[in-house]
Amino acid sequence: MVELLGGTRIVLAESPTSDHFQDDLVQTNECAACGVYSVQNMLCGRCRMVRYCSKECQKDHWKYHRMECFPPYKQISAEEVAAYSKLNCHDAIAKLNDDLATFSKGSPPMVTSSAANQLLFYSNQIQLQHENLECETDQMLKDLHESFESFNFPIPERKQPRYKRLAQLKSKENLQSLLLRCQSDQREVQLDSIKECRKLLSDQNPPIRELVEMGMVPVFVGFLRNDKNQKLQFEAAWILTNICSGTSEQTQEVINCKAVPQLIRLVKSKDEELAEQCVWALGNIAADSPVYRDILLEENIIEALVP
């Protein structure tokens, strides 16, 4: 079964009794979205790395899982994965650089999609290690901060735990400052501020409601119209993609601000990254409800997607 999620067509979870996939890499029977444990939980049909208890949980979790959802590759054995996972981040990056250099210097038939997929798999492993290290570092900084507070010692701003730094970035004062900088006449200031907005919305607890209520959606849609600055368009499309992963009301706000025609127009952009990001945004809109899907059809999205 195939469904449109997040702007890409992926295979929905199949029964765990399916015998045509290798499930060696799946480490848990917990639902990746809600945490419910059951041997009946279904595997992600694309990467075979996580399980879900229902299609609804898979849809809700897709906005987080999509960045790490890669198909399983038979040329990567369980032994290779186990050996690779024991490398520290520095050694893992060194290995990836060596493999990439070998790949780049190759020639057919050595340069294959399988080799490229293997590099993608290894890069994903590095990303996971980096995220784990970041969590451990943040916990250490949190413990340090609490210890210093108990003895009334000041702690440098840059040593603040991540949750405190994020709280400061998501504060009403900082968001209002971001809005003003987004409306600046200086291109560099605009780009820096919209990147900061995008990073905030990429967090697991993004301040979507706050940004929408502050009236920032029309500003982002306005950036889509700026054909002289494709970097700005790309960041704006990414932000709107994340906003459309929120509630139906937030997606409706994006539609009300006339983002759909601009996103469909930019699907034909010569900038492949920009075009792809716009497809992601439109996919999130379509996945929200049949009503929004029909709005896209009325705007002739099919014609835009067909080469």
Side-chain angles (χ1 to χ4, degrees):
M1 183 177 180
V2 177
E3 184 156 323
L4 186 70
L5 287 180
T8 186
R9 296 180 70 82
I10 66 170
V11 184
L12 290 180
E14 300 185 22
S15 168
T17 60
S18 175
D19 59 1
H20 61 281
F21 278 105
Q22 295 295 324
D23 301 336
D24 298 339
L25 303 181
V26 179
Q27 302 295 324
T28 178
N29 286 320
E30 290 184 359
C31 174
C34 68
V36 170
Y37 181 93
S38 172
V39 294
Q40 297 300 316
N41 285 349
M42 300 177 292
L43 287 168
C44 171
R46 188 182 188 209
C47 71
R48 316 297 295 177
M49 293 291 286
V50 296
R51 295 182 186 271
Y52 296 101
C53 63
S54 66
K55 188 169 71 172
E56 288 69 27
C57 271
Q58 186 180 27
K59 286 183 178 180
D60 291 341
H61 193 247
W62 175 241
K63 57 189 174 185
Y64 306 120
H65 179 54
R66 68 184 187 187
M67 297 304 292
E68 57 187 35
C69 186
F70 296 103
Y73 307 111
K74 293 183 179 179
Q75 73 274 15
I76 304 176
S77 66
E79 290 77 13
E80 286 180 295
V81 174
Y84 194 89
S85 64
K86 294 178 182 178
L87 295 174
N88 60 46
C89 282
H90 183 270
D91 291 341
I93 292 172
K95 174 177 172 55
L96 184 61
N97 282 331
D98 290 342
D99 290 344
L100 181 58
T102 302
F103 175 82
S104 301
K105 293 177 181 178
S107 58
M110 296 301 294
V111 178
T112 64
S113 59
S114 295
N117 288 335
Q118 191 170 36
L119 290 177
L120 285 175
F121 179 86
Y122 285 145
S123 67
N124 184 50
Q125 295 300 302
I126 291 176
Q127 181 180 354
L128 292 176
Q129 288 188 46
H130 172 76
E131 291 173 354
N132 291 335
L133 180 61
E134 186 178 55
C135 290
E136 293 174 7
T137 302
D138 194 53
Q139 183 61 48
M140 180 272 292
L141 290 174
K142 181 179 180 181
D143 294 342
L144 179 68
H145 183 268
E146 290 175 352
S147 297
F148 273 43
E149 275 191 336
S150 65
F151 292 102
N152 295 319
F153 282 119
I155 187 168
E157 183 69 25
R158 62 186 181 86
K159 296 292 185 181
Q160 294 285 344
R162 185 169 178 268
Y163 76 94
K164 282 190 174 272
R165 297 198 307 271
L166 284 174
Q168 292 168 356
L169 290 173
K170 294 176 183 179
S171 66
K172 185 176 180 181
E173 294 75 14
N174 187 61
L175 293 179
Q176 288 176 336
S177 174
L178 277 177
L179 175 59
L180 292 175
R181 283 186 281 144
C182 281
Q183 296 172 325
S184 170
D185 294 331
Q186 301 178 34
R187 293 178 56 180
E188 295 78 8
V189 174
Q190 283 185 333
L191 187 58
D192 288 343
S193 57
I194 197 173
K195 282 183 178 179
E196 189 172 335
C197 289
R198 183 254 298 167
K199 291 176 182 177
L200 284 175
L201 291 178
S202 297
D203 184 66
Q204 288 198 359
N205 296 299
I208 297 177
R209 177 180 60 82
E210 291 83 352
L211 290 179
V212 171
E213 290 178 354
M214 289 177 64
M216 294 190 74
V217 174
V219 177
F220 300 141
V221 175
F223 288 150
L224 293 179
R225 301 188 182 95
N226 188 350
D227 292 332
K228 295 181 179 179
N229 194 333
Q230 291 184 329
K231 289 183 179 180
L232 204 61
Q233 288 177 315
F234 173 76
E235 294 290 345
W238 194 339
I239 286 175
L240 293 173
T241 301
N242 289 340
I243 291 177
C244 292
S245 69
T247 65
S248 293
E249 290 76 16
Q250 290 159 355
T251 301
Q252 182 65 57
E253 178 65 17
V254 172
I255 294 173
N256 291 344
C257 291
K258 311 297 182 184
V260 170
Q262 295 301 320
L263 291 168
I264 292 178
R265 177 180 70 87
L266 292 174
V267 167
K268 293 291 188 180
S269 171
K270 294 181 180 179
D271 186 319
E272 292 184 0
E273 285 191 340
L274 172 58
E276 181 182 4
Q277 192 59 54
C278 290
V279 172
W280 278 109
L282 292 165
N284 279 358
I285 294 173
D288 192 284
S289 74
V291 174
Y292 297 159
R293 177 200 61 200
D294 291 343
I295 290 175
L296 298 186
L297 292 174
E298 291 172 3
E299 293 285 347
N300 299 317
I301 187 175
I302 301 300
E303 288 79 355
L305 293 174
V306 175

